[in-house]
Amino acid sequence: MYDYDLLVVGSANADLVIGVERRPGAGETVLGSDLAVHPGGKGANQAVAAARLGARTALLARVGDDAHGRLLLDSQRESGVDTVGVLVGGAPTGVALITVDPSGDNSIVVSPGANGRLTPGDVHAAASLFQASRVVSAQLEIPLETVVEVVRSLAEGSRFVLNPSPPRPLPTEVLAACDPLIVNEHEAKVILGDLAVGDTPEDWARILLARGPRSVVVTLGAEGALVASAQGTARIPAVKVDAVDTTGAGDAFTAALAWRLGTGASLPEAAAYAARVGAVAVTRQGAQVSFPTAAEVDALRCADPGDAPRTDGRGSGSAAGMPSRDEVR
């Protein structure tokens, strides 16, 4: 019996957001809106998204002993995440400085802060969390050597899900543990490096599978997603919604997919559910505050039941609950 459906190991940032009419050039100062501060970071986002769906969720992360760290801890606890694994101190809380123009385009500078101090030793010390978790999810906003230690700490029979963002080449040991590896087009090409990647998501997934992952999910924005494993490939259509803000959609998708896999869903079934979760999230402003409950996801399914997995063709519709083909945050 597992105590947790999902253990998320990853980053926790404070997002500092300012709206601007246009982003400044070199040496230029522009005026912006009032500063908005939101809890963020891919790890913290995934933990909140899973907990809001009803998953028994724990977070292993590091924050600073400061106001931003307290903001992040409060957000996790209010969402029902077990924060026993959140370490405090060693550096200031990670911060993302974000400017957003009227079109919605943003520019982001990240100071990793305490995220960069989440060490392999911290993972080793949290062995009991890994033994108690059915699925473990990670990203790459923490040191790569820490992710390697996560793979080495997995309990027998548990499942490892990785969204390699921001992307970088991955060790064979990490790739071999992924079930699935979740990538967009940009991330797939970075991981594959100089290998010829072909022109279609099926090509990218086939070559990625040959590198060692047990399964692969390629997110395609408005075109949905592709899932691939030794059993074959399937297209997952996007869900038609009126998108307002895509911030955090990829994190919501990953968290939902990881949780559903742990409940025994097949990869196509889990991805179809995750697409609905992401679709609800993009209809609302913000990241963590936009993540839906299970009841809200079920309501969307009743309104638009035509999002079952397909084995060929592309999803239709102008809006989707997936990260875009090139989204890196």
Side-chain angles (χ1 to χ4, degrees):
M1 179 65 181
Y2 294 99
D3 294 328
Y4 302 106
D5 300 310
L6 181 64
L7 169 63
V8 180
V9 185
S11 59
N13 290 332
D15 290 346
L16 279 55
V17 184
I18 299 178
V20 293
E21 286 301 314
R22 59 181 178 84
R23 292 188 292 276
E28 182 182 13
T29 299
V30 299
L31 294 177
S33 67
D34 291 342
L35 176 69
V37 182
H38 305 290
K42 298 189 74 65
N45 286 351
Q46 288 182 16
V48 168
R52 285 184 59 80
L53 292 170
R56 296 170 301 165
T57 308
L59 175 65
L60 175 57
R62 183 176 286 276
V63 299
D65 185 11
D66 50 34
H68 291 152
R70 290 186 285 277
L71 169 72
L72 286 157
L73 283 167
D74 288 345
S75 175
Q76 295 292 309
R77 291 165 178 160
E78 289 169 4
S79 300
V81 177
D82 191 335
T83 59
V84 66
V86 179
L87 306 168
V88 178
T93 301
V95 171
L97 307 174
I98 306 171
T99 59
V100 184
D101 70 18
S103 73
D105 287 337
N106 58 33
S107 295
I108 304 172
V109 177
V110 175
S111 171
N115 295 312
R117 273 72 165 187
L118 187 66
T119 67
D122 295 330
V123 172
H124 184 73
S128 60
L129 281 178
F130 287 88
Q131 294 300 315
S133 301
R134 185 184 304 275
V135 181
V136 177
S137 177
Q139 325 79 40
L140 298 183
E141 289 185 336
I142 57 176
L144 183 56
E145 59 267 26
T146 303
V147 177
V148 172
E149 186 62 29
V150 168
V151 168
R152 294 173 179 172
S153 301
L154 296 172
E156 183 177 356
S158 66
R159 191 163 189 161
F160 179 62
V161 176
L162 178 66
N163 172 218
S165 179
R168 69 191 80 171
L170 294 172
T172 300
E173 181 179 7
V174 172
L175 284 169
C178 296
D179 192 15
L181 175 72
I182 303 176
V183 295
N184 58 29
E185 178 178 355
H186 172 69
E187 290 157 358
K189 291 181 176 178
V190 170
I191 292 169
L192 290 171
D194 294 333
L195 294 177
V197 297
D199 298 323
T200 70
E202 285 79 5
D203 291 332
W204 312 331
R206 173 178 53 80
I207 300 170
L208 282 169
L209 282 173
R211 296 286 299 275
R214 302 174 193 180
S215 59
V216 171
V217 176
V218 183
T219 59
L220 302 168
E223 296 176 2
L226 171 79
V227 300
S229 68
Q231 285 69 50
T233 64
R235 287 282 188 141
I236 310 300
V239 181
K240 298 178 182 179
V241 293
D242 293 324
V244 173
D245 183 356
T246 61
T247 304
D251 298 328
F253 177 89
T254 297
L257 186 145
W259 171 53
R260 293 293 282 194
L261 287 174
T263 66
S266 69
L267 185 59
E269 290 169 343
Y273 181 82
R276 295 196 296 274
V277 173
V280 178
V282 302
T283 64
R284 304 167 177 172
Q285 292 284 351
Q288 293 183 15
V289 294
S290 75
F291 297 154
T293 64
E296 290 169 329
V297 178
D298 288 342
L300 177 63
R301 183 176 187 176
C302 293
D304 183 8
D307 57 342
R310 305 192 308 193
T311 56
D312 56 17
R314 292 175 179 264
S316 60
S318 59
M322 305 282 188
S324 70
R325 297 172 73 107
D326 297 306
E327 182 187 20
V328 295
R329 178 172 175 77

